[in-house]
Amino acid sequence: TAAQLNAIITKTSATVDATAVTEITATYDELRGDGSSTGLWNITSEIDLNDGNSATGNYNVVVSDTSLTAAKLIEIAAQTSGTVNAANATSVAGPVSDLLTLAGLNDGAGAGNLDLATNYSATIDVTGGATATAANVLTILQDTSGSVNASGLTDISGLAADLKLVQAEASFSHNSPANYTSTITDTTAGVADINSIAGNTSGVVTATATSNDIAALEDLTTASTDAITVTVTTTDLDAAKLVALDAKTSVAITATA
């Protein structure tokens, strides 16, 4: 453990050769210290973990912390080519970019060297931005069966298929009710998809409807605040139906019949 290595260091003025150590159990603070003069990574004049190589070691790490930022876990993984067992860190927080990197490292026997608990909980930190693509949120959701708190996100946009998968994930957590805005980026979207996505958030949903038929467009259940672009080409159009459709979007309807 880091505590045991530190105890050995205090008993000698010589550099401790720890290159035979294959695994270290430690907290992040025990490894990094103050970033310069304390912490096992920094006291290279007192302990040699990397066989003289100050870049990275090849020892395994068992992380003792139960809660860490994604950035700190990424930093630990970068310090060694060995496996980093972070199953104890059941609570992780970070911006979307860091959580995506974490998901890439947390790939079991793949290229990544990080093993997280299968059900770690994640909180999306929005200090770096409160918007995210549905594809990125989906990647984070699919990395854990634990809850992913995305309540800070004010906008989640992307393809209809990705948005529906995000909303269907049991681990997805937002405000109650959810109130993020969403732009469906498909060139056009079906009425059923628009209804499904808009039905899961009170925020403004922006989309262009695929159908031009009033019979299909009548099935829209969106609110008057949603920005749904609609073009109606139905002949013999009933004015009452057009008025009803107008109440389902904030965008002026184009009627070309």
Side-chain angles (χ1 to χ4, degrees), residues 69-86:
T69 65
K72 289 180 178 179
L73 285 167
I74 294 166
E75 186 179 359
I76 294 171
Q79 288 292 325
T80 181
S81 60
T83 298
V84 176
N85 181 343

Side-chain angles (χ1 to χ4, degrees), residues 190-204:
V191 167
D193 285 343
I194 295 171
N195 287 343
S196 175
I197 292 163
N200 281 287
T201 180
S202 63
V204 172

Side-chain angles (χ1 to χ4, degrees), residues 4-251:
Q4 290 170 326
L5 289 172
N6 279 320
I8 295 170
I9 291 168
T10 62
K11 297 182 183 299
T12 179
S13 59
T15 300
V16 175
D17 184 351
T19 54
V21 173
T22 57
E23 182 175 281
I24 301 172
T25 299
T27 65
Y28 171 81
D29 287 341
E30 287 174 325
L31 292 169
R32 190 180 189 279
D34 63 4
S36 57
S37 60
T38 64
L40 291 178
W41 291 338
N42 304 305
I43 51 175
T44 53
S45 62
E46 299 172 54
I47 185 169
D48 182 4
L49 288 169
N50 305 339
D51 197 20
N53 176 11
S54 60
T56 58
N58 59 2
Y59 49 86
N60 298 329
V61 176
V62 176
V63 180
S64 301
D65 303 86
T66 58
S67 178
L68 277 178
T69 65
K72 289 180 178 179
L73 285 167
I74 294 166
E75 186 179 359
I76 294 171
Q79 288 292 325
T80 181
S81 60
T83 298
V84 176
N85 181 343
N88 290 320
T90 54
S91 178
V92 179
V96 169
S97 58
D98 285 353
L99 290 170
L100 286 173
T101 299
L102 202 68
L105 292 171
N106 182 36
D107 65 349
N113 64 332
L114 183 66
D115 289 329
L116 286 162
T118 58
N119 64 340
Y120 72 90
S121 63
T123 299
I124 297 177
D125 177 354
V126 296
T127 53
T131 65
T133 66
N136 284 345
V137 174
L138 186 61
T139 296
I140 296 167
L141 289 167
Q142 292 177 337
D143 194 53
T144 180
S145 61
S147 175
V148 176
N149 184 347
S151 60
L153 292 178
T154 58
D155 183 273
I156 304 173
S157 294
L159 297 174
D162 288 340
L163 285 164
K164 290 169 64 181
L165 286 171
V166 166
Q167 294 175 334
E169 280 285 341
S171 58
F172 178 65
S173 172
H174 203 270
N175 298 318
S176 183
N179 59 350
Y180 54 88
T181 58
S182 186
T183 297
I184 301 174
T185 58
D186 302 71
T187 304
T188 59
V191 167
D193 285 343
I194 295 171
N195 287 343
S196 175
I197 292 163
N200 281 287
T201 180
S202 63
V204 172
V205 172
T206 301
T208 298
T210 299
S211 181
N212 303 127
D213 184 356
I214 191 65
L217 293 168
E218 281 183 299
D219 291 335
L220 278 171
T221 56
T222 47
S224 61
T225 52
D226 290 316
I228 312 302
T229 298
V230 174
T231 300
V232 182
T233 59
T234 305
T235 57
D236 299 323
L237 186 61
D238 186 326
K241 292 184 177 182
L242 195 60
V243 170
L245 182 61
D246 186 57
K248 300 177 180 182
T249 178
S250 63
V251 179

